[in-house]
Amino acid sequence: MTELAVLDFETTGLVPGQDEVLQVAVVDETGAVLMNEYCRPQRHTAWADAQKVNGIAPQDVCGKPPFEALVPRLQEILSGARRVVAYNDGFEKAFLDAYGIPSRGLRWGEDPMAAFAQQMGGQKRSLSAVASFFGYEFEAHDALADVRATLYLYERLADGGLLRWATRNASPAWGQSPRGPVAYQTLPPEDMLRLLKCLGLCPLTAAQARQLWYKGIYTASPRPCEIVGFQNRSKEDGWLVVAVEADGMTYLVCDDYLREMQAPAFGGDGAAASVPGQAVGTGRTGRASRAGIAARGKAEGAANSRYAAFARKSAALKNVEANPDADPSNPFYGKAVVFTGDMEMPRAEAAQAVAELGAHVKSAVSRKTDYLVAGAQDPALVGAGGRSGKEEKAAALNESGQGKIEILDEAAFRALLAQARGQ
């Protein structure tokens, strides 16, 4: 029995039972190839939209066996694995069921897409975007390349996530604090940055991650500091102790307290918040002090947090309602509009502008979406030149024929807005 069977399909489209498998690949936990086969569809002779994504042309599968002929072999491989893993595994499960392999009868491991989303605040990302986050480069939409990338991500995200992976791969280190020597664990800088991103303790670029400030009971004023390590998260209450270095001294601070000290790193004005209270040394703070730190963080530090900004932005969009008295002839009237990425025009302002024209502002892309306004994306999340999860979904809906979503960059959006306003 193999420990893992990592699975990926390339298909003629997105609809199980209607679309067919063009390629199937499976690797085990070592990366050894258990299956990599191209398949000839029995009902489709062309799949132009899917071909643009996966690059598989009809001539590439001419003479190949139909997927139905491979089902017994695939079922044997998957049934013999302790865990079956796929990226966005709902897609593979649906196609397995459609071909008569009951997905519920298999032992599924954690979906790396879901694991990453859970550790990054709920935002789902494409396989290529998450791989880029970890510095893993590959050619997406080849089933074999995709399963290898999925295995790489699974090793870093499943069963406790990045922190557990980091703990296994960290090196012990010592620093000098006002209380004497302190022990912590270190990682290579790129891995430390990913760990902190995953835990929500730092911004999304290496440059910003260095713009941290320490203010504790041992310093009279805020000092620039660098995150140099961490201590294990407590199993009881789930918090992390981060080691920061300032002026040659090492300080250990808990995660909530660190958030309070990050105003400059999160784009706040001036020096970091001067927060009275307890800086954490080698001893454990306990539940009461952590609760106090968290309370002060909400009161004094959250206003400068990027996550507070996200919360305010989301709340602002929820309060936007379409104007029923708008001119129905304008291009936004009655349309569903979704925003993604960063724009020069504040998102709340853009949302209010289209709502006044009769548009319905939505937070997620669906087949009912009419416009997706796409601002600049963070390469640290989507990769250089990559697309956000909303853009990926819009493109997939369009390619499958389930959606007719017009994707606008900010310039195109502003032009359409000016047209709708008669300017």
Side-chain angles (χ1 to χ4, degrees):
M1 176 175 282
T2 59
E3 182 63 31
L4 281 181
V6 187
L7 170 69
D8 186 75
F9 292 136
E10 296 298 331
T11 62
T12 61
L14 302 176
V15 184
Q18 173 182 314
D19 287 301
E20 300 178 80
V21 173
L22 294 171
Q23 184 188 9
V24 53
V26 186
V27 298
D28 68 12
E29 67 277 7
T30 70
V33 179
L34 304 180
M35 175 179 278
N36 181 31
E37 299 284 354
Y38 286 90
C39 313
R40 183 185 76 252
Q42 295 186 299
R43 300 185 302 276
H44 291 73
T45 58
W47 43 91
D49 290 337
Q51 185 178 336
K52 294 175 184 176
V53 177
N54 57 40
I56 301 175
Q59 59 268 28
D60 295 330
V61 294
C62 181
K64 301 296 182 181
F67 180 70
E68 287 83 351
L70 302 174
V71 163
R73 178 181 160 203
L74 177 62
Q75 187 164 12
E76 181 180 0
I77 291 172
L78 301 182
S79 299
R82 294 185 187 276
R83 285 170 291 176
V84 179
V85 172
Y87 196 88
N88 189 18
D89 61 16
F91 181 81
E92 272 69 25
K93 288 176 181 177
F95 271 87
L96 288 172
D97 290 336
Y99 278 99
I101 302 178
S103 62
R104 289 188 178 183
L106 302 175
R107 294 172 288 271
W108 290 89
E110 190 171 4
D111 179 354
M113 173 186 267
F116 185 81
Q118 182 179 16
Q119 297 171 51
M120 291 296 290
Q123 181 66 58
K124 291 185 177 181
R125 299 288 183 177
S126 68
L127 175 62
S128 56
V130 179
S132 178
F133 178 91
F134 283 93
Y136 183 95
E137 301 297 333
F138 72 110
E139 292 293 331
H141 300 299
D142 170 81
L144 184 57
D146 285 358
V147 291
R148 285 172 170 159
T150 300
L151 173 61
Y152 182 88
L153 298 180
Y154 181 80
E155 291 171 343
R156 283 150 181 80
L157 290 168
D159 299 328
L162 188 57
L163 179 64
R164 181 168 177 170
W165 171 83
T167 302
R168 291 197 304 266
N169 291 276
S171 302
W174 287 87
Q176 185 65 35
S177 80
R179 293 185 178 181
V182 295
Y184 58 90
Q185 296 166 297
T186 65
L187 288 165
E190 62 274 13
D191 290 332
M192 176 62 71
L193 180 62
R194 291 172 192 135
L195 169 64
L196 297 169
K197 287 178 186 176
C198 189
L199 295 169
L201 296 182
C202 78
L204 295 176
T205 68
Q208 289 175 307
R210 287 192 291 269
Q211 297 170 8
L212 297 170
W213 294 75
Y214 172 71
K215 173 64 175 76
I217 60 175
Y218 301 117
T219 62
S221 60
R223 307 285 180 87
C225 71
E226 180 183 3
I227 294 177
V228 293
F230 66 95
Q231 285 192 337
N232 291 344
R233 190 194 303 255
S234 164
K235 293 181 180 179
E236 289 81 11
D237 54 18
W239 56 274
L240 182 74
V241 173
V242 176
V244 301
E245 196 170 86
D247 297 333
M249 298 292 287
T250 300
Y251 305 90
L252 299 183
V253 294
C254 89
D255 54 0
D256 286 320
Y257 187 63
L258 182 67
R259 285 187 177 94
E260 292 185 42
M261 304 186 301
Q262 293 188 77
F266 283 111
D269 295 326
S274 178
V275 182
Q278 178 180 2
V280 182
T282 54
R284 183 177 167 195
T285 62
R287 292 180 185 274
S289 61
R290 181 177 186 269
I293 289 168
R296 286 193 299 275
K298 292 179 181 177
E300 301 175 39
N304 291 322
S305 164
R306 67 177 287 146
Y307 297 101
F310 287 162
R312 290 194 300 271
K313 180 168 60 179
S314 299
L317 292 184
K318 289 179 181 178
N319 295 328
V320 173
E321 295 185 0
N323 175 17
D325 299 322
D327 179 0
S329 66
N330 83 73
F332 286 109
Y333 187 85
K335 303 296 185 181
V337 182
V338 177
F339 293 90
T340 183
D342 296 323
M343 303 192 302
E344 291 183 13
M345 176 184 289
R347 187 176 296 189
E349 179 184 331
Q352 189 61 50
V354 296
E356 289 174 357
L357 294 165
H360 302 278
V361 179
K362 304 293 185 181
S363 60
V365 170
S366 73
R367 67 184 67 188
K368 296 181 180 179
T369 301
D370 296 294
Y371 294 112
L372 174 61
V373 181
Q377 300 294 338
D378 187 343
L381 282 179
V382 301
R387 300 186 295 187
S388 71
K390 291 178 182 178
E391 291 173 280
E392 293 278 3
K393 185 171 183 179
L397 287 170
N398 287 344
E399 289 167 2
S400 68
Q402 298 179 66
K404 294 182 179 180
I405 304 169
E406 187 172 354
I407 302 176
L408 307 172
D409 60 19
E410 184 172 4
F413 169 70
R414 285 176 177 268
L416 190 62
L417 183 61
Q419 175 191 332
R421 289 170 165 173
Q423 298 173 343

